[in-house]
Amino acid sequence: MADTSTDAGLAPRRRPGLTTRLRYRLIPDHLLGEILAKPWIDTAIPAIILAITIAVFAALTPDFYSASNLGNLGRVLGEYLIIALGQAVVILAGGIDLSIGSIFALCNFVGIFLVFTAKLHVLLALPLVIAIGGLIGAFNGYLIGYLRLRAFLTTLVTLIIVRSITDILVVRYGSSLITDFDINGIDLFDWFADGSVFGLASSALVALGLAVIFHVVLSRTRFGWHVAAVGGSRRSAFNAGIKVRRTVFLTYVISGATTGAAAFFYVTRLSATGSSTGVGLEMIIITSVILGGISLGGGRGSILKAVLGTLVVVIITFSLLRLGLASGGSSVVLGAILLLAVVIDIRWNKNRHKLLNRTYASPTLLEMPPMPDIAEGSSSPYARRNRLDDVEVIGKGVLDGPEDIIIDDEGNLFAGTRKGEIYRFFGPDFKEFEVFAHTGGRPFGITVDRDGSILCCVAGAGLYRITKDREIIALSTQTQRSLTSIKDDSRVRMADDLDVAPDGRIFYTDPIGRYDASEWLSDALEGRGTGRLLCFDPADGSTKTLQKGLLFANGVCLTHDGQAMLVAETWGAKIGKYWIAGPKKGTWEPFITDLPGYPDNINRASDGTYWVALVGMRSKAFDLALEMPGFRKRMIRRVAPDNWLFPNTGTGCILKFDEQGNTIESYWDRPDGAWPQITSMCEHKGRLFLGGVINDRVGVLTLETADPDWTQYESYWGGKA
């Protein structure tokens, strides 16, 4: 084959040196982008701050790790954390609660009165104290949620009013509340005060249990999703049908109730009340939540972040007191921490995505083999031969982007569309049609199973079966997660093409691992190879990754002997073979390595060979750019991805190759012809049916030398269509 890697007037192509090859082979540039893209990266910041805090104060504080110090620290932590959980819910919904210090003080007073004066049993006093806190929270929630008052001003007013009521009650009744320690439920009272489980203080144990519950509610329930939606954009949440006012109301009820619960632990621990109880508590809790990484603007954060932030603030506050720093000094430190937390929140939220956009796209070195000669009239098997002039048309004006097509056991043609429908055209003339199914996503690869049902790859969703009764059944939407993968490779991002083995296993491709289906062009520009060949086994319902690192894994076809799967690597311009049976079972080997274009779907031919569609043609400019990662990284920032590849996809081409990987025929459309970007073909009874991802019809080409009785279904299952 001729080497067309140089043109007249152009300097000879300079191959990358050994140093460049080793640099891109050994240094994983993409890891930084992968890490920055993870949701947990926000949690890493408070985790690092916590680790530094523990290290510093463990060195400064005598007996930091002693049982007594950790026990006292745990009791304070439990009380603060319970309040912080409620505050976190409020802030996640886009609000703020400044009244928690006053609510804490009033609930503390009520708790002492119920236990020591009214002599209620502890199990009765606890829910009543929580109810008092919840009622005050409901007052805030009603004003802010339903009357739409400002959260900051409303809770500030509530702080003043409730604090005034508490001061009046303390002055009038404080000295007469505790007459004796004859408590109903003294054992339970003592456990709340200083009990522990495996060394963990009772309040901390309850707080951690509540943290787990809150995490589940916020991340796995409808209410939690509503809270995040309201915090992200109240107008959008309202337009989506979420009851915004009720959601806001409930967040303040939760905040008040958790504050009441924490106040009851304070009652059991100190059994004291005064005008200074809870003063400044709101600053401590808000600092904890914001330092943990929950955004003041709402809609971004997690319970784990609230836990980490609270740990940091409690350790600092408690340790400063042990070191003898005056309370005023502690307030100064907390104020500085709050200011730092706000700065970090604003700056990180503003710049994280900028940094991610600069680092995520990470082109690597990809050396393409010399492009074979495609000149018309040459002796190359790829030479241009315009053989698609006399193509008949099916479904023109009805179909929109039939990326793949198949003919079932009854001789009916099925084709997917851009809008998610699968059309059925009734054979043998294919003039009558109907919408067979709505997949809910873009259907790509489709094939027919032994029972005549349609198997379909839906981009962004996974592998589905559509029965003859039109029932849509999800078969495979994720695979097993690799323990060593930094990215979530369990997710099927873009199920593309598929084929079925004789034993019923379904093999399908997931072309991209770093981008979503809509960003497939970015994967081409990177040249990194994140595609996979997957296998769904209906016997046990499992999905496993068989081969990784493929350059946009695309078309899949079972060989005629049933021993292997042929897999197209689109951006590598090559086809590989994965053995599924026989002595080579489980191994991968190159099959065709130097195609002149980008292979898409593959299908069997009636003479024991195979068809493959070329969705686009290679260009020398793009091949050269693949050897210049730095150049591509700069171009990604300056040139839209479609300007790189779309000019190469204007010509349609189908190749025919044999069992040894030799190309034996080529069918080209004219450069300005009616069949650009052919993505699939299906031979049936002497005719070749053509699909295209941007076309509005299916083409039909008569094959003069093909078997007029051969069908795909019969080739696989022995039946007759």
Side-chain angles (χ1 to χ4, degrees):
M1 299 179 185
D3 183 353
T4 58
S5 59
T6 61
D7 275 340
L10 295 179
R13 192 164 166 180
R14 184 177 179 181
R15 296 290 182 179
L18 178 61
T19 303
T20 303
R21 290 190 180 96
L22 292 177
R23 176 255 185 274
Y24 282 99
R25 182 176 300 173
L26 300 177
I27 300 178
D29 300 60
H30 66 293
L31 289 186
L32 177 60
E34 291 286 357
I35 292 172
L36 289 173
K38 298 304 170 190
W40 49 258
I41 190 62
D42 286 342
T43 308
I45 295 176
I48 293 171
I49 295 174
L50 175 60
I52 295 173
T53 301
I54 293 175
V56 170
F57 285 100
L60 296 176
T61 307
D63 303 322
F64 181 85
Y65 293 109
S66 66
S68 60
N69 184 64
L70 293 179
N72 292 331
L73 184 66
R75 298 186 201 291
V76 176
L77 170 65
E79 295 168 10
Y80 282 12
L81 180 54
I82 292 172
I83 304 173
L85 295 175
Q87 185 74 247
V89 174
V90 170
I91 295 179
L92 281 170
I96 194 168
D97 190 353
L98 300 177
S99 65
I100 52 177
S102 298
I103 296 175
F104 183 86
L106 181 59
C107 289
N108 173 66
F109 179 90
V110 172
I112 292 176
F113 172 80
L114 295 176
V115 172
F116 291 97
T117 304
K119 302 298 182 182
L120 287 183
H121 193 280
V122 172
L123 290 178
L124 291 177
L126 174 59
L128 287 175
V129 172
I130 294 175
I132 292 295
L135 284 173
I136 302 174
F139 176 74
N140 284 331
Y142 180 77
L143 295 177
I144 298 168
Y146 287 99
L147 298 187
R148 304 177 69 181
L149 301 184
R150 301 268 183 164
F152 187 90
L153 293 177
T154 301
T155 55
L156 181 62
V157 170
T158 305
L159 179 153
I160 297 171
I161 294 174
V162 176
R163 174 63 64 182
S164 300
I165 295 172
T166 304
D167 288 344
I168 293 172
L169 292 174
V170 168
V171 170
R172 186 165 183 178
Y173 302 107
S175 60
S176 61
L177 286 178
I178 304 176
T179 56
D180 57 60
F181 281 84
D182 182 19
I183 299 171
N184 285 324
I186 184 64
D187 293 337
L188 188 59
F189 187 89
D190 290 340
W191 185 84
F192 277 121
D194 56 11
S196 63
V197 177
F198 299 113
L200 187 65
S202 55
S203 60
L205 181 66
V206 171
L208 292 177
L210 286 175
V212 172
I213 295 172
F214 273 54
H215 169 74
V216 172
V217 169
L218 289 177
S219 62
R220 297 293 186 272
T221 69
R222 181 175 298 176
F223 173 74
W225 302 332
H226 287 181
V227 168
V230 170
S233 172
R234 292 193 177 184
R235 181 180 295 276
S236 298
F238 176 80
N239 292 337
I242 296 174
K243 296 181 178 179
V244 174
R245 295 183 179 184
R246 186 180 69 178
T247 301
V248 172
F249 170 80
L250 290 175
T251 61
Y252 283 95
V253 173
I254 292 171
S255 177
T258 55
T259 303
F264 193 82
F265 275 102
Y266 187 81
V267 168
T268 61
R269 182 165 63 91
L270 295 181
S271 301
T273 186
S275 59
S276 62
T277 302
V279 172
L281 181 63
E282 58 279 341
M283 187 182 79
I284 295 174
I285 299 302
I286 293 173
T287 301
S288 302
V289 174
I290 302 305
L291 183 63
I294 295 180
S295 175
L296 269 174
R300 183 172 63 87
S302 68
I303 291 300
L304 178 58
K305 293 179 181 180
V307 173
L308 293 174
T310 305
L311 273 167
V312 171
V313 170
V314 169
I315 290 173
I316 292 174
T317 305
F318 193 75
S319 299
L320 289 177
L321 291 176
R322 287 202 62 197
L323 291 172
L325 189 66
S327 59
S330 298
S331 298
V332 171
V333 172
L334 284 178
I337 292 173
L338 177 58
L339 179 61
L340 177 64
V342 172
V343 171
I344 291 175
D345 175 65
I346 294 174
R347 300 303 298 177
W348 175 249
N349 190 38
K350 181 178 180 180
N351 295 313
R352 175 192 170 190
H353 292 289
K354 290 183 180 179
L355 180 61
L356 178 61
N357 290 335
R358 292 181 63 87
T359 60
Y360 192 79
S362 181
T364 191
L365 176 66
L366 179 61
E367 295 183 80
M368 300 292 288
M371 195 173 81
D373 190 2
I374 62 173
E376 187 173 356
S378 70
S379 60
S380 169
Y382 303 113
R384 285 184 176 273
R385 297 175 178 88
N386 300 325
R387 302 170 69 180
L388 300 182
D389 292 339
D390 299 322
V391 175
E392 302 174 23
V393 173
I394 294 175
K396 182 173 176 60
V398 175
L399 297 173
D400 180 11
E403 196 273 345
D404 197 11
I405 51 178
I406 197 67
I407 297 178
D408 71 355
D409 56 323
E410 298 177 354
N412 301 316
L413 183 144
F414 292 81
T417 70
R418 193 184 311 276
K419 296 180 180 179
E421 298 99 346
I422 294 181
Y423 277 82
R424 174 165 60 181
F425 290 81
F426 295 97
D429 57 8
F430 308 110
K431 293 181 179 179
E432 295 184 6
F433 61 87
E434 66 175 356
V435 175
F436 179 70
H438 296 274
T439 63
R442 179 71 187 270
F444 280 159
I446 54 178
T447 193
V448 182
D449 206 351
R450 185 188 300 271
D451 62 358
S453 62
I454 300 298
L455 298 171
C456 178
C457 283
V458 180
L463 176 66
Y464 288 78
R465 181 189 302 277
I466 307 172
T467 68
K468 289 200 170 188
D469 296 329
R470 309 192 188 196
E471 180 185 6
I472 300 178
I473 303 171
L475 299 180
S476 173
T477 57
Q478 62 181 13
T479 182
Q480 294 177 340
R481 175 77 185 268
S482 300
L483 296 177
T484 58
S485 176
I486 192 171
K487 63 179 180 293
D488 182 7
D489 60 353
S490 64
R491 174 185 169 195
V492 177
R493 293 176 179 265
M494 185 183 171
D496 193 293
D497 196 27
L498 74 163
D499 211 347
V500 189
D503 59 5
R505 289 181 297 162
I506 303 171
F507 295 79
Y508 71 103
T509 52
D510 183 19
I512 50 181
R514 301 192 72 227
Y515 297 93
D516 289 328
S518 61
E519 300 172 295
W520 59 274
L521 283 172
S522 297
D523 182 80
L525 297 182
E526 277 201 341
R528 186 164 294 280
T530 59
R532 300 179 292 168
L533 174 64
L534 308 177
C535 176
F536 168 73
D537 190 346
D540 57 12
S542 66
T543 301
K544 298 179 181 178
T545 300
L546 302 180
Q547 188 69 26
K548 299 189 295 185
L550 304 180
L551 287 159
F552 203 87
N554 202 327
V556 184
C557 182
L558 179 70
T559 56
H560 284 279
D561 60 7
Q563 298 290 296
M565 288 286 173
L566 300 176
V567 182
E569 293 187 69
T570 300
W571 306 138
K574 57 187 177 181
I575 297 174
K577 177 185 282 189
Y578 184 87
W579 293 90
I580 65 172
K584 294 184 179 181
K585 181 179 179 180
T587 62
W588 173 273
E589 64 184 37
F591 187 66
I592 303 177
T593 59
D594 59 348
L595 291 170
Y598 304 118
D600 204 300
N601 290 353
I602 309 171
N603 260 327
R604 290 179 178 181
S606 59
D607 58 0
T609 60
Y610 306 89
W611 300 100
V612 61
L614 298 186
V615 71
M617 301 308 298
R618 290 166 55 185
S619 69
K620 297 165 190 173
F622 190 68
D623 280 3
L624 180 61
L626 291 175
E627 298 176 7
M628 305 166 65
F631 169 74
R632 298 208 311 282
K633 193 174 184 69
R634 293 190 296 272
M635 290 301 292
I636 285 173
R637 299 174 187 170
R638 294 171 171 83
V639 180
D642 52 355
N643 289 335
W644 284 72
L645 282 177
F646 280 180
N648 301 359
T649 60
T651 303
C653 180
I654 304 165
L655 302 178
K656 196 176 190 182
F657 60 89
D658 61 21
E659 289 281 4
Q660 288 72 45
N662 301 310
T663 299
I664 55 179
E665 282 192 86
S666 60
Y667 291 74
W668 288 81
D669 188 29
R670 298 182 184 277
D672 57 349
W675 300 100
Q677 205 167 349
I678 298 173
T679 54
S680 62
M681 65 280 108
C682 174
E683 184 178 336
H684 179 78
K685 293 186 175 181
R687 296 190 292 175
L688 191 64
F689 295 77
L690 312 178
V693 71
I694 63 171
N695 294 332
D696 63 350
R697 70 273 192 201
V698 169
V700 185
L701 176 67
T702 300
L703 301 172
E704 296 179 357
T705 60
D707 184 349
D709 298 318
W710 186 91
T711 69
Q712 287 275 344
Y713 185 85
E714 181 183 19
S715 174
Y716 277 80
W717 309 116
K720 202 69 169 167

